[in-house]
């Protein structure tokens, strides 16, 4: 895929789904001469060693980043600031520091002040994931044909941005750049609020389950099952996403509640015309996503296809 390694030493801080998938993709493509990893718990480090997730697992974040020309923060959004403070004195001059957090402005606010002079901080977010987490959940094709958004700062070095973009593209993703506040609003619409709705719907069904003695689970239809898959996502990660993308989430949630009331009223008033027109519009959006190659038309929401490339 590539003509020799793009980076000499990549340090992954956090060894979960995203870091693990990056390591597997980089090693498969020969994109890094050496991938070194660190996670805070001995259990995760042991697992990573056992399955050979990275070239070397080390026992401190400082040791991982020493001499690295790329450092990736792959921990929950709420932990980014503390991790940045811990590694900052050990970062090599000229290194690129990036993150994969699902929220961008709060990560910039938390990490930015710790970044030493001469280190290039380029925040990023791969729009790829599953409901699984931990060191065993990664796979090399996770980023293939997905978007990876970079939110460079006004003074980011264009050469460093291009080098990081080259790595992202070599892992199979498409790169786009946007400003952090815009990223956070877009993601509130496309990911964060949909997750919150799924969590809520499964919570509602859970209350009903007590009344109907598990009929909700036994007879669960495709719509509900898809909600449960999303609602099985990592609780720490998603707690942090909502706490750190508060304004955009509340903005979109307000709009969602307004739309819901309009649909609720249409149902109450028997306004089939309104419902039909609304659903025709939303169907066109789904078709657009499939045409853009971001999902398949299979009735299983592309799960079989995703397994096939794993
Ligand atoms: P994950 O599989 O749960 O792995 C998280 C890693 O962070 C683990 O190695 C964990 O270490 C470490 N960690 C957790 N809390 C920490 C803390 N307080 N201090 C230091 N390290 C901590 O998570 P992931 O899915 O890879 O997510 C990592 C980042 O990617 C998050 O910022 C998330 O928002 C972003 N992201 C996730 C997805 C997705 O769908 N999952 C998609 C795009 C971006 P231990 O194992 O030792 O506890």
């Amino acid at each position: 895929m590539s003509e020799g390694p793009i980076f000499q030493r990549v340090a992954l801080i956090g060894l979960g789904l995203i870091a693990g998938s990056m390591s597997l993709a980089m090693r498969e493509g020969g994109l890094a001469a050496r991938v070194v990893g660190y996670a805070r718990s001995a259990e995760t480090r042991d697992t990573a060693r056992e399955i050979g997730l990275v070239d070397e697992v080390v026992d401190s974040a400082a040791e991982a980043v020493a001499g690295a020309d790329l450092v990736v923060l792959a921990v929950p959004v709420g932990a980014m600031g503390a991790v940045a403070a811990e590694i900052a004195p050990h970062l090599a001059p000229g290194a690129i520091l990036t993150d994969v957090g699902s929220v961008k402005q709060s990560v910039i606010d938390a990490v930015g002040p710790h970044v030493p002079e001469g280190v290039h901080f380029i925040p990023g977010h791969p729009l790829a994931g599953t409901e699984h987490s931990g060191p065993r959940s990664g796979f090399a094709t996770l980023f293939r044909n997905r978007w990876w958004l970079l939110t460079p700062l006004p003074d980011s070095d264009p050469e460093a941005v291009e080098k990081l973009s080259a790595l992202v593209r070599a892992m199979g993703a498409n790169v786009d750049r946007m400003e952090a506040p815009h990223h956070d609003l877009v993601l509130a619409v496309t990911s964060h609020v949909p997750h919150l709705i799924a969590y809520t719907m499964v919570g509602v069904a859970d209350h009903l389950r007590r009344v109907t003695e598990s009929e909700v689970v036994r007879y669960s239809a495709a719509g509900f099952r898809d909600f449960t898959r999303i609602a099985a996502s990592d609780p720490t990660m998603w707690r942090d996403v909502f706490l750190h993308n508060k304004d955009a989430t509340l903005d979109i949630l307000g709009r969602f509640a307004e739309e819901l009331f309009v649909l609720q009223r249409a149902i109450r008033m028997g306004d089939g015309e309104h419902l039909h027109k609304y659903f025709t519009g939303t169907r066109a959006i789904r078709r657009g996503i499939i045409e853009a190659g971001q999902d398949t038309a299979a009735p299983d929401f592309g799960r079989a296809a995703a397994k096939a490339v794993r």
Side-chain angles (χ1 to χ4, degrees):
M1 207 193 264
S2 103
E3 327 236 317
I6 298 171
F7 287 95
Q8 290 308 308
R9 179 181 166 102
V10 176
L12 301 172
I13 308 298
L15 289 171
L17 170 71
I18 300 296
S21 298
M22 286 185 72
S23 178
L24 296 171
M26 287 187 288
R27 293 169 81 197
E28 193 179 280
L31 310 176
R34 190 162 184 77
V35 181
V36 180
Y38 167 76
R40 63 176 176 169
S41 73
E43 191 188 345
T44 296
R45 296 198 298 272
D46 286 347
T47 304
R49 279 188 190 108
E50 183 196 321
I51 62 176
L53 190 61
V54 290
D55 295 320
E56 185 190 357
V57 178
V58 293
D59 290 324
S60 78
E63 198 183 332
V65 306
D69 50 350
L70 175 65
V71 174
V72 183
L73 305 181
V75 298
V77 167
M80 296 279 183
V83 171
E86 189 184 343
I87 61 169
H90 311 282
L91 291 168
I96 294 176
L97 172 66
T98 190
D99 76 292
V100 293
S102 306
V103 181
K104 294 279 51 90
Q105 189 58 55
S106 80
V107 171
I108 292 171
D109 295 344
V111 172
H114 300 292
V115 180
E117 192 75 25
V119 169
H120 306 289
F121 176 39
I122 306 165
H125 177 204
L127 305 192
T130 73
E131 69 277 27
H132 302 296
S133 54
R136 292 185 192 275
S137 60
F139 53 101
T141 54
L142 177 66
F143 309 114
R144 213 168 274 177
N145 201 28
R146 314 311 303 194
W147 284 102
W148 196 305
L149 303 179
L150 298 179
T151 60
L153 307 172
D155 58 352
S156 287
D157 172 21
E159 245 177 68
V161 176
E162 195 36 55
K163 195 171 173 187
L164 181 60
S165 303
L167 175 73
V168 166
R169 280 192 289 266
M171 287 191 289
N174 306 309
V175 184
D176 208 354
R177 297 176 197 179
M178 56 175 70
E179 292 193 357
H182 187 66
H183 165 280
D184 291 352
L185 184 64
V186 170
L187 267 291
V189 177
T190 58
S191 170
H192 304 167
V193 171
H195 270 79
L196 196 68
I197 293 165
Y199 280 124
T200 314
M201 193 58 228
V202 175
V204 168
D206 187 45
H207 294 155
L208 280 177
R209 187 163 58 95
R210 285 182 207 119
V211 180
T212 59
E213 291 178 353
S214 70
E215 281 167 321
V216 171
V217 170
R218 193 178 316 137
Y219 304 125
S220 87
F224 181 68
R225 278 204 309 267
D226 287 315
F227 273 135
T228 61
R229 186 180 61 77
I230 296 171
S233 300
D234 188 68
T236 306
M237 169 188 157
W238 284 96
R239 176 203 63 196
D240 282 8
V241 166
F242 294 119
L243 294 180
H244 293 269
N245 198 17
K246 186 174 167 179
D247 293 346
T249 300
L250 291 178
D251 176 11
I252 301 306
L253 212 49
R255 291 163 194 260
F256 174 79
E258 284 169 20
E259 295 282 304
L260 196 61
F261 277 127
V262 172
L263 291 180
Q264 192 174 328
R265 183 177 157 77
I267 294 168
R268 193 184 307 286
M269 305 303 280
D271 188 351
E273 201 184 322
H274 180 87
L275 295 175
H276 193 270
K277 199 169 159 206
Y278 198 95
F279 300 157
T280 303
T282 55
R283 188 178 227 192
I285 291 173
R286 169 74 189 158
R287 287 194 181 131
I289 290 171
I290 292 165
E291 276 161 26
Q294 293 299 301
D295 205 346
T296 75
D300 66 351
F301 282 74
R303 277 188 217 119
K307 260 189 211 143
V309 292
R310 260 164 107 144

